Amino acid sequence: MALIKSPKIAFVSLMTIGLSLVACKNGFNNSTNKKSAEKIVPENLKWSERMVLSEMHRFPEATKLDFASVPRWGYTNGLVLGACAQVYEKTKNQKVYDYIYAYADAMIDKSGDIKTYNLEDHNLDMIKSGDVLLYLYPKTKEERFFKAMTTLNKQMESQPKTSDGGYWHKKIYPFQMWLDGLYMAEPFHARYAKEYEKDAAKAIKIYDDVVHQFDLIQKHSRDPKTGLLYHGWDESKEQRWANKETGTSQHFWSRGMGWYGMALVEVLDFLPKNHQGRERLIKYLNQYVEAVVKVQDSSGLWWQVLDQGSREGNYLEATGSAMFTYTIAKGAHKGYISNKYLKNANKGFDGLINNLVSVEENGVVNLNKCCAVAGLGGNPYRDGSYEYYIGEKIRSNDPKGTGAFILASLELNK
């Protein structure tokens, strides 16, 4: 530790620490590295690659993405590394591929078992990192990766369901469907069916089941007045957060809606063109985008609680904004929605860059004002109130935001 040589220097140092603490408390990382003349992240790259390199700098071990103290199998790793895979395919930067591989190599043992994972938990969040295995196995042909994929597919086969066939979000959350769960599980499930299910009848059954999950969310969680979707639905209507008549939670949470939109555009990548449910999913996406653009702020961003605008405590939130930007851009580029919505996607991306992105002197990119986490129920109990959603921790560089930001950057070629 350097010695402080004068009271003046000490005062400046304390001021710097104090300002840094204030910035972190408000979810904005504007730190700089003045000692570094060399750019860790070159600024002449696309934003997608710049963010990937920034994440690799922040989290040298991909197993510890999401500020984890120990390696773990989790959905945020799957989101970020899936985005990294797309960047690698464009740039062929070997360091990016090695970063992706290192996660699977560390988390899948020689027998194909997934470390820190327990199938009996029946937690949909745990399916998401299976996307990493779907990407790596064709390249490596390592049987341990294939075995781990089949384990995740077995979880889908045994996942508890509501009476009308909707997957419980987790076994510890009985009778509940959350918007989050559609993104965690359905793109993996559809891709696994397309690429690895050799029995045609079983593959069709999986496709039907995937579409059915979206049908149920539309039925139970969509608000007909606004077109927005409530974060959760409890079939039993026993949860304190659940409306006693409809079973839905109280509010439209930005990232919850973001998960759902990304699930729609990514499942459509793998659902057969002739599947009878495909047109329904495209219809759902059109309804979704129409509702989302109505609550887009003039800055291009979206609010933490979508329909509450500048109500006291509400804030323009990064993760949901990045997710909406990606979903709209991809939907338009794929021809699922009108090209007129590209202006909303570009406005969303510009809003992120102008308001929520900061770049350190060493070139490292930060995404600020990210909601760290939000859920329903549990212990301590999360009641789904407005006060709950605005009261959760705000931080910079949450991987649920950086991953979506990378995808949005790729889709818009920014």
Side-chain angles (χ1 to χ4, degrees):
M1 182 180 292
L3 293 174
I4 296 175
K5 297 180 179 179
S6 73
K8 183 177 180 181
I9 294 173
F11 175 73
V12 171
S13 298
L14 288 170
M15 279 190 67
T16 303
I17 293 168
L19 288 171
S20 297
L21 289 172
V22 170
C24 290
K25 184 178 179 181
N26 287 282
F28 207 97
N29 186 349
N30 199 25
S31 60
T32 58
N33 183 0
K34 294 185 178 180
K35 292 183 180 179
S36 176
E38 183 182 353
K39 297 288 186 184
I40 293 173
V41 179
E43 295 183 3
N44 61 342
L45 304 175
K46 298 286 187 183
W47 283 108
S48 54
E49 190 174 4
R50 290 170 71 181
M51 184 59 85
V52 167
L53 296 176
S54 298
E55 286 289 83
M56 291 169 63
H57 173 71
R58 273 189 288 272
F59 305 105
E61 298 174 67
T63 58
K64 296 181 181 178
L65 275 162
D66 209 356
F67 309 94
S69 58
V70 294
R72 66 182 182 189
W73 183 261
Y75 68 95
T76 48
N77 311 78
L79 168 58
V80 174
L81 296 177
C84 287
Q86 293 191 38
V87 170
Y88 170 72
E89 292 301 321
K90 282 187 173 293
T91 65
K92 299 303 178 183
N93 183 336
Q94 187 63 34
K95 290 182 179 179
V96 176
Y97 179 85
D98 293 345
Y99 188 69
I100 300 165
Y101 179 84
Y103 175 71
D105 185 45
M107 298 308 298
I108 310 299
D109 68 18
K110 292 180 180 179
S111 63
D113 292 331
I114 305 169
K115 298 175 184 177
T116 77
Y117 166 83
N118 181 9
L119 187 153
E120 294 306 314
D121 290 341
H122 284 99
N123 180 350
L124 289 184
D125 288 346
M126 296 302 103
I127 301 297
K128 187 64 201 166
S129 273
D131 293 357
V132 178
L133 306 177
L134 288 166
Y135 173 72
L136 288 175
Y137 178 68
K139 296 178 179 296
T140 68
K141 297 300 182 183
E142 293 187 43
E143 284 304 309
R144 59 179 176 144
F145 294 164
F146 182 77
K147 181 182 175 184
M149 284 192 300
T150 61
T151 296
L152 296 173
N153 187 61
K154 286 177 184 176
Q155 180 187 321
M156 298 306 299
E157 292 175 352
S158 59
Q159 189 75 11
K161 294 181 179 181
T162 62
S163 63
D164 52 4
Y167 293 127
W168 293 5
H169 190 61
K170 303 178 184 181
K171 187 168 69 175
I172 61 170
Y173 297 144
F175 309 107
Q176 299 170 42
M177 293 186 74
W178 296 10
L179 297 180
D180 317 30
L182 279 290
Y183 185 69
M184 301 307 157
E186 303 316 319
F188 169 88
H189 209 192
R191 185 175 178 181
Y192 182 90
K194 180 179 181 180
E195 297 178 358
Y196 295 101
E197 183 49 71
K198 296 179 181 179
D199 186 317
K202 288 183 179 179
I204 291 171
K205 184 179 183 299
I206 291 175
Y207 295 137
D208 290 347
D209 197 51
V210 166
V211 171
H212 188 54
Q213 304 309 305
F214 290 93
D215 289 338
L216 292 175
I217 285 292
Q218 291 291 127
K219 176 182 177 181
H220 296 302
S221 296
R222 184 172 180 268
D223 174 43
K225 293 181 181 179
T226 63
L228 301 173
L229 294 103
Y230 294 102
H231 184 187
W233 171 69
D234 172 22
E235 181 182 30
S236 73
K237 303 174 185 175
E238 292 178 353
Q239 289 296 314
R240 297 205 307 270
W241 54 257
N243 183 294
K244 297 309 174 188
E245 293 183 6
T246 65
T248 60
S249 54
Q250 304 170 52
H251 287 288
F252 309 115
W253 177 41
S254 181
R255 188 159 70 232
M257 279 280 291
W259 290 131
Y260 185 65
M262 293 201 301
L264 277 166
V265 293
E266 293 191 8
V267 159
L268 285 167
D269 284 342
F270 309 110
L271 194 67
K273 294 285 195 298
N274 62 350
H275 190 276
Q276 50 87 25
R278 187 177 179 86
E279 288 306 312
R280 288 207 305 282
L281 295 195
I282 293 173
K283 175 185 175 183
Y284 298 157
L285 179 61
N286 275 268
Q287 292 174 336
Y288 171 95
V289 171
E290 183 180 352
V292 162
V293 299
K294 286 180 181 177
V295 290
Q296 186 175 19
D297 183 70
S298 59
S299 65
L301 301 171
W302 281 267
W303 296 88
Q304 164 74 340
V305 183
L306 283 172
D307 64 334
Q308 296 298 302
S310 57
R311 178 178 170 182
E312 184 177 358
N314 209 11
Y315 60 95
L316 295 166
E317 197 273 334
T319 68
S321 295
M323 290 175 177
F324 294 136
T325 299
Y326 163 59
T327 297
I328 295 169
K330 181 165 184 170
H333 287 151
K334 289 284 189 177
Y336 305 141
I337 61 175
S338 170
N339 272 335
K340 71 178 183 180
Y341 291 116
L342 280 173
K343 70 178 187 296
N344 297 94
N346 281 295
K347 187 177 180 181
F349 193 82
D350 290 344
L352 289 164
I353 298 299
N354 295 332
N355 298 282
L356 300 181
V357 167
S358 60
V359 181
E360 300 183 30
E361 287 194 3
N362 59 11
V364 170
V365 180
N366 299 303
L367 181 66
N368 304 294
K369 300 288 281 188
C370 302
C371 172
V373 68
L376 295 165
N379 184 24
Y381 198 83
R382 299 165 294 183
D383 66 3
S385 64
Y386 176 78
E387 291 72 24
Y388 164 70
Y389 284 113
I390 64 167
E392 278 287 17
K393 181 181 178 181
I394 302 169
R395 66 183 179 186
S396 295
N397 302 317
D398 188 287
K400 298 178 281 293
T402 57
F405 177 84
I406 295 165
L407 292 171
S409 309
L410 285 165
E411 201 59 50
L412 291 169
N413 195 30
K414 299 278 193 177

